[in-house]
Amino acid sequence: MYEQISHSLLNEILDDLKPEIRKQDLRHFYTRLGANFYAIHNLFHHLYGQRDDFKAQMLRLVETLARQYIKRPRHLKNLDIARENDHNWFLSQHWVGMALYSTGFADNLRGVAEKAGYFQELGVNLVHIMPILQCPAGKSDGGYAISNFREIDDRVGTLDDLLLVAKEFRKREMLLVLDVVVNHTSNEHEWARRATAGDQKYQDYYYVFDNREIPDMFEQSMPEIFPETAPGNFTWNECMQKWVMTVFNDFQWDLNYSNPAVFIEMLDVILFWINQGADIIRLDAVAFLWKKIGTTCQNEREAHLILQLMKDCCQVTAPGALFIAEAIVAPVEIIKYFGEDAIIAKECEIAYNATLMALLWDAVATRNCKLLCQGLKSLPDKLERATWLNYARCHDDIGLGFDDNDVRKVGYEPIAHRKFLVDFYTGNFEGSLAAGVPFMRNDKTGDARIAGSLASLVGLEKACQLGDQEAANAAIEQIILLHSLIFSFGGIPLLYYGDEIATYNDYSYVDHADKSSDSRWIHRPTINWERAELRHKQGTIEYGVFTALKKMIAIRKETTAFADFNNRYLLDIGNEHLFGFIRFDHTRPSERVFVICNFSAKPQYLDLQTLSASGFGFYGQLTDLYSGKRPTMYKDQLVLQAYHFYWLSEH
């Protein structure tokens, strides 16, 4: 019966489409709409079916999809068809990413296009250009407080510049990733300005309240995201004489997705940027999309339904585009952003593996893999047609959101262990050369996160300042070690710009009024291209790191076992300093790679019979794919030098 209702409504909508839409060639559009409409109608009805204007909103939704399909360039429509025919294309080991700020990397968008050869030299073929949309000069949250969703900020360039980037990337078979901030707008956005002026239509785009009664109910269960700089979750607006929900900062107003007009507006924004050439859209702050009194207002079921609806709608207009879920939440929650109870991703095809990132930094600090192994055991398997973004650093802080049960299982006390990690990475632990800084220290809870560049966090910056060559060499080995894991673990590895040449902290942020209160700017560098040229000069740090990463990327692309089809087995090594797993070709399981890493500052040994007892015996000669040599052996034991790794294959 419900399918009949859906089918009947679809017929009504198609009859009511405006003539300028109906006269277009919509063959593929109609086929995809018919295939997806039952799911779209079901989700839209669940979210908004109680409204009197439900049918009118459904018509508006379909018209939005049709208009963006009509605007979609022919070459992108052809790409959609090709990707539909090869629907696992993004699971290949071929893809290697880099995230960057266009202003920090190359001054502007045009500069990014001009440096496309740099990506190819390294082997990067997926580039995430972080926020480029119009935002206020001062209160911008690093570009994530958007004042116009359809205009590029003139400080980074123009739409023509972005189209140039897209064209240059496409010519080189590189993917373009762009951000859409779906949870909130700047308080200077037109919608917010109209709301401030008293327009009820646009006040309904946000969470606006006359007094503190309802905000106080929300506050009883909502955590604070930025307790130092933005305590609480509501801001008093003097002009409106009302309270506005502002979960992140007082200048970022949370959008109200219980209003279907908001959903349709934001879907239209997503499709607009996909039509400008974005292969992948990173959806920012997706965990916060639905607010409910009595909850943390994170990870609510309706937030997942919104993402499912966005995905189904994009499947109609631009099925070749993918979504990244920016959800830095607990492991049991993050896995849900692929979509629960499914094989293919119903929400986002890609999600950040923040759990792996944080666990890797724990292993670096402790020199052991106890929590790394335990934490990964607690990470549920991903869906078959979904993948992780694996990264060592990004533009954001390092959160220590480990599961307390995992922390206790490996013999640590959660609060004390987190304090140790903060002290270690801020250089306040004896023997630590790390040069990180705390981010958002919460005096109420004692919590803090960590900011700093990769090279500075592993101690390279201080080692070079001290002239300690041994410590510098150890830091370089750790940079390479961390990347050996993100390249081999399973998913899309994502480099952070500057890490490929071991860029240090940028302390100049404290001299800028709009940045000084946000310590994350310490690891959002401006690339020194004269220093980058040293990547060609043997004996330099830049040469050593860049060449190692370039080599690993090339080997990764040739190794089918590194594709991502849930083709990984974690191993119980029996040595807390070593971390190991088996990767295998999902079409030829006998084609295997044994990845083993030593996080200790001392050499470690592995008895290969330990692996045989686990059912992973090796019967041929082992060769390290990275060095091309046999691994060091002693009395049937595999020897790993300090901070060393092997990618071992049988021959």
Side-chain angles (χ1 to χ4, degrees), residues 46-47 207 209 214-215 217-223 234 245 247 254-258 287-305:
H46 183 92
L47 292 165
Y207 293 90
F209 303 98
I214 294 177
M217 292 182 190
F218 273 110
E219 291 282 22
Q220 290 177 25
S221 54
M222 290 177 72
F234 292 85
M245 183 179 285
V247 168
D254 285 60
L255 288 165
N256 179 7
Y257 277 89
S258 66
F288 299 84
L289 292 182
W290 197 268
K291 311 302 195 294
K292 189 182 295 183
I293 291 174
T295 72
T296 62
C297 296
Q298 297 181 40
N299 307 310
E300 289 300 306
R301 178 170 179 263
E302 288 83 357
H304 291 284
L305 298 182

Side-chain angles (χ1 to χ4, degrees), residues 27-45:
R27 285 171 295 173
H28 288 297
F29 175 81
Y30 286 141
T31 300
R32 294 172 185 144
L33 181 63
N36 289 280
F37 190 77
Y38 174 70
I40 291 171
H41 175 249
N42 191 11
L43 289 164
F44 204 79
H45 189 271

Side-chain angles (χ1 to χ4, degrees), residues 13 35 53 125 281 300 342 444 518 554 562 574 604 647:
I13 288 172
D53 63 348
N125 52 15
I281 294 293
E300 289 300 306
K444 299 177 186 175
D518 186 343
F562 288 160
Q604 297 294 320
W647 289 349

Side-chain angles (χ1 to χ4, degrees), residues 455-505:
S456 297
L457 289 173
V458 296
L460 183 59
E461 178 184 348
K462 281 189 177 178
C464 289
Q465 288 172 350
L466 295 170
D468 188 337
Q469 190 60 53
E470 184 179 348
N473 290 340
I476 292 169
E477 290 291 339
Q478 290 176 80
I479 292 172
I480 296 169
L481 176 68
L482 288 169
H483 285 100
S484 78
L485 277 167
I486 70 166
F487 288 142
S488 63
F489 189 72
I492 300 172
L494 185 69
L495 299 168
Y496 184 58
Y497 79 117
D499 286 351
E500 76 283 1
I501 54 171
T503 301
Y504 301 153
N505 287 343

